C-alpha cells in the first residue's frame, strides 16, 4: 500500500461498521474455530482472502483485482444453488437474477470450474435422486415422486440425467446398490460436496 492508502485507512471510522465486514467477514471469522468449520478452513481460505480483498478495496475506494473476487462469487452462487436445487423452477436464469450477472458473465465466471451452473444444478439433482434411490424404503416411493423430490421437472429428465452423469439406468441404480453408492460418491466429488 502506498502512503495515501495507509492514511485513508487510518482516517476511517470503526472498520467493524463497514457492510462487507459486518455481513461477510465477521460472520466467517467468528465461526472458523467451531468444530464444523475448522476442517474446512484450508478449502475456505481463498474465499476469505477474496472477502478481505473486497473489504480493503471498498475501504480504499479502489477497484479490486477481479481474480480475487471471483472465488467469493463462485462460492456464493454454489451455496445458492445448493440451497435451491430441489426447486424445479431453479434454472440458470434464476441464478443470473440472483447473481446480478449476465448469462455470459456467469459462463465466464465458471469456465475454470468442473461444471457450469446448469451442470452443477443437474448434478446436485442427480445426486439427490441417487441418494433417495439408495434409501431402504425407496421401493415405497414412485420414481416420479423421487424425480419431483430431487428437483427434476419430469421422470424422463431424471432418467436422462442419471444416465448421462453416472452411466447407469434407473433399473441398474435400483438393482446394484454398491455401484449406485460408488457413482454417487464420484458425483459428490464432482460437485464439491
Amino acid at each position: 500500500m502506498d502512503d495515501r492508502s495507509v492514511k485513508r485507512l487510518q482516517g476511517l471510522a470503526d472498520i467493524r461498521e463497514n457492510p462487507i465486514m459486518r455481513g461477510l467477514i465477521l460472520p466467517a471469522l467468528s465461526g472458523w474455530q467451531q468444530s464444523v468449520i475448522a476442517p474446512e478452513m484450508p478449502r475456505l481460505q481463498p474465499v476469505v482472502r477474496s472477502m478481505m480483498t473486497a473489504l480493503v478495496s471498498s475501504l480504499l475506494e479502489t477497484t479490486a483485482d477481479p481474480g480475487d473476487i471471483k472465488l467469493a462469487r463462485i462460492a456464493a452462487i454454489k451455496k445458492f444453488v445448493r440451497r435451491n436445487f430441489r426447486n424445479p423452477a431453479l434454472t440458470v436464469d434464476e441464478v443470473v437474477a440472483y447473481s446480478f450477472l449476465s448469462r455470459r458473465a456467469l459462463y465466464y465466471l465458471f469456465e475454470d470450474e468442473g461444471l457450469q451452473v446448469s451442470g452443477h444444478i443437474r448434478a446436485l439433482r442427480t445426486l439427490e435422486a441417487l441418494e433417495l434411490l439408495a434409501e431402504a424404503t425407496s421401493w415405497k416411493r414412485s420414481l416420479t415422486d423421487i424425480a419431483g423430490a430431487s428437483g427434476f421437472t419430469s421422470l424422463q429428465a431424471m432418467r436422462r440425467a442419471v444416465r448421462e452423469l453416472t452411466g447407469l439406468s434407473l433399473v441398474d441404480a435400483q438393482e446394484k446398490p454398491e455401484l449406485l453408492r460408488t457413482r454417487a460418491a464420484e458425483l459428490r466429488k464432482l460437485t464439491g460436496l
Side-chain angles (χ1 to χ4, degrees):
M1 274 194 262
D2 60 12
D3 290 335
R4 189 171 143 228
S5 297
V6 171
K7 285 180 185 177
R8 187 179 295 155
L9 272 177
Q10 290 171 341
L12 291 173
D14 189 354
I15 194 169
R16 291 173 296 181
E17 295 305 314
N18 183 282
I20 294 174
M21 180 62 91
R22 257 194 346 239
L24 294 174
I25 296 171
L26 287 178
L29 293 177
S30 66
W32 79 272
Q33 290 181 331
Q34 295 175 2
S35 60
V36 178
I37 296 176
E40 296 296 320
M41 276 315 286
R43 192 172 64 83
L44 295 175
Q45 191 175 21
V47 176
V48 173
R49 181 175 175 262
S50 296
M51 291 188 306
M52 291 300 291
T53 301
L55 172 65
V56 170
S57 60
S58 73
L59 292 173
L60 298 177
E61 299 173 3
T62 61
T63 55
D65 178 19
D68 291 335
I69 305 291
K70 182 178 180 178
L71 293 172
R73 278 189 157 171
I74 290 171
I77 291 169
K78 284 183 176 181
K79 183 177 180 180
F80 173 78
V81 169
R82 278 193 302 274
R83 280 194 324 256
N84 296 292
F85 74 89
R86 289 179 190 91
N87 180 353
L90 180 67
T91 62
V92 173
D93 290 331
E94 294 294 318
V95 177
V96 165
Y98 165 78
S99 65
F100 297 104
L101 296 171
S102 67
R103 284 180 78 89
R104 176 175 278 174
L106 187 64
Y107 172 79
Y108 285 121
L109 184 66
F110 277 78
E111 71 183 341
D112 295 330
E113 296 295 305
L115 294 169
Q116 281 293 323
V117 172
S118 60
H120 198 70
I121 295 168
R122 199 163 187 230
L124 288 172
R125 288 176 175 164
T126 302
L127 182 58
E128 180 76 5
L130 293 178
E131 289 174 354
L132 291 173
L133 286 169
E135 288 179 358
T137 59
S138 68
W139 60 273
K140 293 181 182 179
R141 296 179 83 170
S142 71
L143 290 176
T144 304
D145 182 44
I146 290 173
S150 303
F152 288 104
T153 55
S154 68
L155 175 58
Q156 184 64 12
M158 182 177 79
R159 284 183 200 274
R160 204 170 28 253
V162 169
R163 170 72 73 184
E164 289 173 9
L165 291 169
T166 67
L168 299 173
S169 68
L170 289 179
V171 173
D172 289 341
Q174 290 175 311
E175 293 177 354
K176 301 173 183 174
E178 188 57 41
L179 186 56
L180 177 110
R181 281 190 285 281
T182 302
R183 298 295 165 83
E186 292 168 357
L187 205 50
R188 200 172 287 107
K189 185 178 179 183
L190 181 65
T191 58
L193 295 176

